[in-house]
Amino acid sequence: MNLRRLEEFFATKSYPTPNIEFLQPFLDKSKDNLKSESQHKKSKSKGSSTGTRAPKYYDLHLHEDLQMKKVVVLKHLDKALASICDEFLNPGHPVHLLPTDSFTRTPDHSYISDKADSFLRLREAANLIDNRRRIEHEEVVRQSYNIYNAPAFTSLASRLAFLTESNILNWSTTHNEPQENAIADGFLSFNSDLRRRLAGLPTSIQNDIELIYKHKLDTLAVWEDKSPFAGSETTMTKLVQPQNPFHWRTCQIGVQADQKKQNVCSVKYHDIDGHVAVTGRRTGPDAKDRMFLEEAIRLSQQSVDTDGDDGDEDYSKLGDPTNKKAGDMLQQVWAAAVKHDCTFMVLSSGKFEVICVRERETGTMYLSKLLRPAESDNPAHCKLHVALYIHAYRDALDRAKQMDSFFQPDVPQDRLPRLYRLQFAKMPMPDSYPNLIQELRTKQFIKLRLSTKHEDSSNYRLWQNISSLNTEISALETSSPPQPRSVSEWSFDTDRATPATSSRVFSTIAFKQSQSFSDKLVIKFAEGKRQCEDLALQFRFHRDVEGMAGNDHGLRAFGLFQQIGANPLFCAMIMEHAGTGYARNSKHCKEHKEGFHTLLEKIHSQGLVHGNLQRDHLLMKKDGKVAFVGSRAFKGKQCELEELRNDEMELLRRWVPLDSSPVQQ
């Protein structure tokens, strides 16, 4: 009985097919738009899901040794994977001793009650399908697999792999740990309550599962789902083309490039303690037992000898949007696999699917041919996915046993695998920031690049230090390259606009080799003669405030620079990040508000005025230090100067009251 039911199950094209009940009408309404991207672009409505996200922080900063290096397509990978199920069709296999009624669920979906929340989400996603929103949402693909496919696959794979009636494996759309970066759409792992039930399992299974948990390899495989349009046949076909090498997209901050479109991560994460952030996860060697992969390579080579080979194709270049989308999909799913240190990945868009296998040591991604779950019959979709689940478990166990052998008392640490010795978080470098400040104040030239969001250029320009200039600012030209010693070793990238009201103020990333600071500096630009001279006066105001005896407050301005050869004049003031705007109701600001009054009194006592005091110009750091920004030169008479000082003190008393009296607006 068990043998017959297994044969029926393994022959099912999809159990049940993903294109049922909700997904089929969903695709029917979308099929006109699936013909071509150009047709879709003419008719797509707001909210349509047509693309995939570009690489972000985790992907862009992934350690070089963990990046994907090449893509190899194995046309018979699916057959090689599925062949593991044939061993269970032997009538003498112990699996047939299990009770028949525990084997497979029938297609009546009576188990849907176990997935009630997912079922409701699927209904909600399906209800979005109407005449206005014909294009699909990936949530339908995800929840369809979660409800209709995964329960049957995990149930059968658990029985075949472990020879037990217990449901050991689990497929879920959420991970058991919070996910911030490189977030996958689906995870194959163990049942959440399995560790509480281990005592009821055979001792050998208990030991194996605990070993996998010990080395944190319990995420066995990851899924990336795309909407049926984002993962159209055109795009998914682009996936299954060989690439050698694969061009991994990295963070371009600090990289000279000719491309207009740069890959730039968030300044929030770019560096850690003065070092460029490097993401990734230490990993051990690949599994020793990979007979399925060897067989897939053998079969695919035979196929190449017979059918010929189209050769390698580079689809990562930016010229073709479909090529770029395919490359982004592969980079996205590879990064998720690195994060969870798993070997198997699935890219799915409902009607189309690609199985991916990661080889760590060479950085190779092996891809299956383009699969059609509702049509595939050699192997059928069900047989392939049950086999995939079993392979993923055995692969994790194989690698866990290898890692355990490396951590024996008699094994020296330098014998650890190369990829396990990688370093991601480095110790702080306390001397590098003072060195940066010193070079800003003393070097004659710096290299500065404006983000392509602000300027149609991705190359660094030479800027001359004019901090000591006391005359009016005029154009600068250079006929020969400057001496290397006169150019700072630090280079600078503008990143994003700060929350300040001025559209000319940007966060700045300073870097030198592996050293980097992204939360320390701010740069303010000025264009044209009048703006540049006003900026020079602001620079001198901050320098005067910084030089006041006994003053701990104020903003440190490190240098005033002018771009060589720019017409009109283009200047920049590089200064420290002086904090955020004063928030009257903040407990922190209430505790340190006296600093504003102390600083303004010192400024006035030196015969100076701010000249442009506004509420937005009051900044405060976490350590309680305060600063005024946006100053302006005063050109009036002495009597008017005294009046302005009084006005500034009165405004400050209104905005930052020192007593409990009502605040005036």
Side-chain angles (χ1 to χ4, degrees), residues 80-123:
L81 281 170
S83 63
I84 194 175
C85 289
D86 295 338
E87 67 182 71
F88 304 113
L89 296 177
N90 185 333
H93 195 283
V95 73
H96 299 293
L97 300 177
L98 292 173
T100 299
D101 59 1
S102 72
F103 232 79
T104 57
R105 291 183 169 123
T106 56
D108 62 5
H109 313 312
S110 59
Y111 55 86
I112 285 180
S113 59
D114 298 335
K115 299 267 186 178
D117 291 341
S118 299
F119 188 75
L120 290 175
R121 286 196 292 271
L122 178 57
R123 290 289 297 266

Side-chain angles (χ1 to χ4, degrees), residues 405-413 415:
S405 67
F406 289 118
F407 289 101
Q408 300 302 319
D410 57 339
V411 178
Q413 291 299 298
R415 294 288 302 277

Side-chain angles (χ1 to χ4, degrees), residues 381-398:
H381 185 248
C382 298
K383 183 178 182 180
L384 175 59
H385 273 242
V386 170
L388 175 67
Y389 286 23
I390 296 172
H391 277 294
Y393 166 73
R394 292 183 177 179
D395 175 88
L397 179 59
D398 184 317

Side-chain angles (χ1 to χ4, degrees), residues 109-378:
H109 313 312
S110 59
Y111 55 86
I112 285 180
S113 59
D114 298 335
K115 299 267 186 178
D117 291 341
S118 299
F119 188 75
L120 290 175
R121 286 196 292 271
L122 178 57
R123 290 289 297 266
E124 292 173 359
N127 287 337
L128 293 173
I129 308 166
D130 55 33
N131 291 331
R132 291 178 298 102
R133 304 184 78 175
R134 296 182 299 165
I135 303 303
E136 49 290 306
H137 295 257
E138 66 183 50
E139 183 71 6
V140 176
V141 176
R142 184 181 307 122
Q143 296 302 344
S144 176
Y145 186 89
N146 186 28
I147 295 169
Y148 294 109
N149 296 69
F153 297 164
T154 54
S155 175
L156 183 56
S158 294
R159 283 149 180 74
L160 297 179
F162 301 99
L163 300 178
T164 176
E165 294 182 65
S166 299
N167 276 343
I168 293 177
L169 299 176
N170 179 63
W171 193 95
S172 176
T173 59
T174 58
H175 198 267
N176 55 10
E177 296 180 356
Q179 302 292 297
E180 294 185 1
N181 300 294
I183 304 173
D185 294 314
F187 306 88
L188 176 65
S189 56
F190 297 118
N191 259 317
S192 57
D193 63 342
L194 180 60
R195 300 189 86 170
R196 296 195 299 270
R197 298 188 288 108
L198 276 179
L201 298 174
T203 303
S204 60
I205 295 178
Q206 292 183 42
N207 294 338
D208 288 346
I209 292 176
E210 284 291 4
L211 189 61
I212 292 175
Y213 274 119
K214 174 183 176 181
H215 294 285
K216 298 182 179 180
L217 300 177
D218 48 297
T219 300
L220 308 177
V222 293
W223 270 248
E224 275 296 335
D225 294 321
K226 302 299 173 186
S227 67
F229 188 85
S232 65
E233 184 171 10
T234 301
T235 301
M236 297 296 280
T237 301
K238 290 288 185 180
L239 285 175
V240 290
Q241 295 177 353
Q243 269 202 89
N244 187 12
F246 179 87
H247 294 280
W248 188 272
R249 294 176 67 184
T250 60
C251 182
Q252 294 296 308
I253 294 175
V255 178
Q256 188 88 357
D258 295 326
Q259 300 172 193
K260 289 185 177 181
K261 183 175 179 59
Q262 300 293 306
N263 310 317
V264 179
C265 74
S266 170
V267 67
K268 177 180 179 183
Y269 299 111
H270 181 75
D271 60 72
I272 301 173
D273 293 329
H275 294 268
V276 174
V278 179
T279 60
R281 171 175 168 173
R282 294 184 297 177
T283 183
D286 292 297
K288 291 181 178 179
D289 184 2
R290 296 193 300 166
M291 292 183 60
F292 77 90
L293 189 57
E294 296 170 2
E295 178 67 6
I297 293 173
R298 185 185 68 80
L299 292 173
S300 298
Q301 287 176 341
Q302 289 179 352
S303 176
V304 169
D305 294 339
T306 304
D307 304 333
D309 186 16
D310 296 332
D312 292 351
E313 179 172 342
D314 178 7
Y315 59 81
S316 63
K317 295 182 179 179
L318 302 181
D320 185 341
T322 307
N323 290 349
K324 178 178 175 295
K325 185 191 298 184
D328 288 350
M329 287 181 180
L330 290 178
Q331 182 160 336
Q332 186 177 357
V333 73
W334 177 277
V338 170
K339 178 181 177 181
H340 297 285
D341 198 11
C342 53
T343 300
F344 293 90
M345 301 151 275
V346 178
L347 272 165
S348 173
S349 62
K351 291 184 68 175
F352 305 102
E353 182 177 277
V354 177
I355 305 296
C356 316
V357 179
R358 172 186 170 216
E359 186 173 76
R360 293 161 178 77
E361 189 60 38
T362 64
T364 302
M365 178 186 276
Y366 294 100
L367 301 182
S368 70
K369 63 184 180 184
L370 184 62
L371 305 172
R372 292 169 170 80
E375 302 172 13
S376 301
D377 55 11
N378 186 26

